[in-house]
Amino acid sequence: MKKGAGVILYSYDKDNNICVLLGKRIYNPGKGNWGIPGGGMEECDGDDCQNTAIRECFEETTIKIEKPLIEIDRLHFPHLEWITYIAEVAFDKRNLFVSEMEESAWFNIDNLPSPLVNKIDEQLIELKRILYKK
């Protein structure tokens, strides 16, 4: 079974609103939908999904994130196990996607574009729940 991982990058704007980075996918699955940085595990990841999420995030956005990441969701498909993590990005480090997306932007978590990649909406609800508990 293949493995993959992605990361929901979040930050706070000057009014302390939660913002997330989303990009409009140019490839399937989810072509034309808004999604997060992520992808399939490679040999260099050492069978570690956090390494996959960190590498994919850097490749797609040039944003450097570090372990430990917080796991927010785990999905099992017949051909793929996918883990989604969350990571905070400092306001001055908020890059956009540099690859794999036709457009990208930071969005207020309460004003998201559509359509979203499958399950992202549920994961963002969980992100809000976690952050509002802090």
Side-chain angles (χ1 to χ4, degrees), residues 5-7 9 21 36-39 50-66 69 93 95-100:
V7 60
L9 299 172
L21 177 63
I36 61 173
Q50 286 194 38
N51 289 345
T52 301
I54 290 166
R55 177 185 51 75
E56 287 285 343
C57 180
F58 184 74
E59 286 177 2
E60 295 177 18
T61 69
T62 71
I63 295 172
K64 293 180 183 180
I65 57 174
E66 297 180 0
L69 301 177
K93 304 287 185 197
N95 297 348
L96 298 176
F97 279 86
V98 295
S99 69
E100 299 191 23

Side-chain angles (χ1 to χ4, degrees), residues 7-71:
V7 60
I8 297 173
L9 299 172
Y10 72 93
S11 186
Y12 295 91
D13 66 16
K14 62 183 186 309
D15 297 320
N16 210 33
N17 297 307
I18 301 168
C19 297
V20 293
L21 177 63
L22 298 174
K24 188 181 266 188
R25 296 184 53 78
I26 58 174
Y27 303 116
N28 279 315
K31 182 178 179 178
N33 295 339
W34 292 87
I36 61 173
M41 183 176 285
E42 297 179 3
E43 190 173 314
C44 63
D45 298 326
D47 199 36
D48 184 325
C49 285
Q50 286 194 38
N51 289 345
T52 301
I54 290 166
R55 177 185 51 75
E56 287 285 343
C57 180
F58 184 74
E59 286 177 2
E60 295 177 18
T61 69
T62 71
I63 295 172
K64 293 180 183 180
I65 57 174
E66 297 180 0
K67 289 183 179 181
L69 301 177
I70 298 169
E71 183 178 324

Side-chain angles (χ1 to χ4, degrees), residues 10 50 68-73 84-87 130 134:
Y10 72 93
Q50 286 194 38
L69 301 177
I70 298 169
E71 183 178 324
I72 196 169
D73 197 15
T84 301
Y85 299 96
I86 60 173
I130 290 168
K134 286 185 177 183

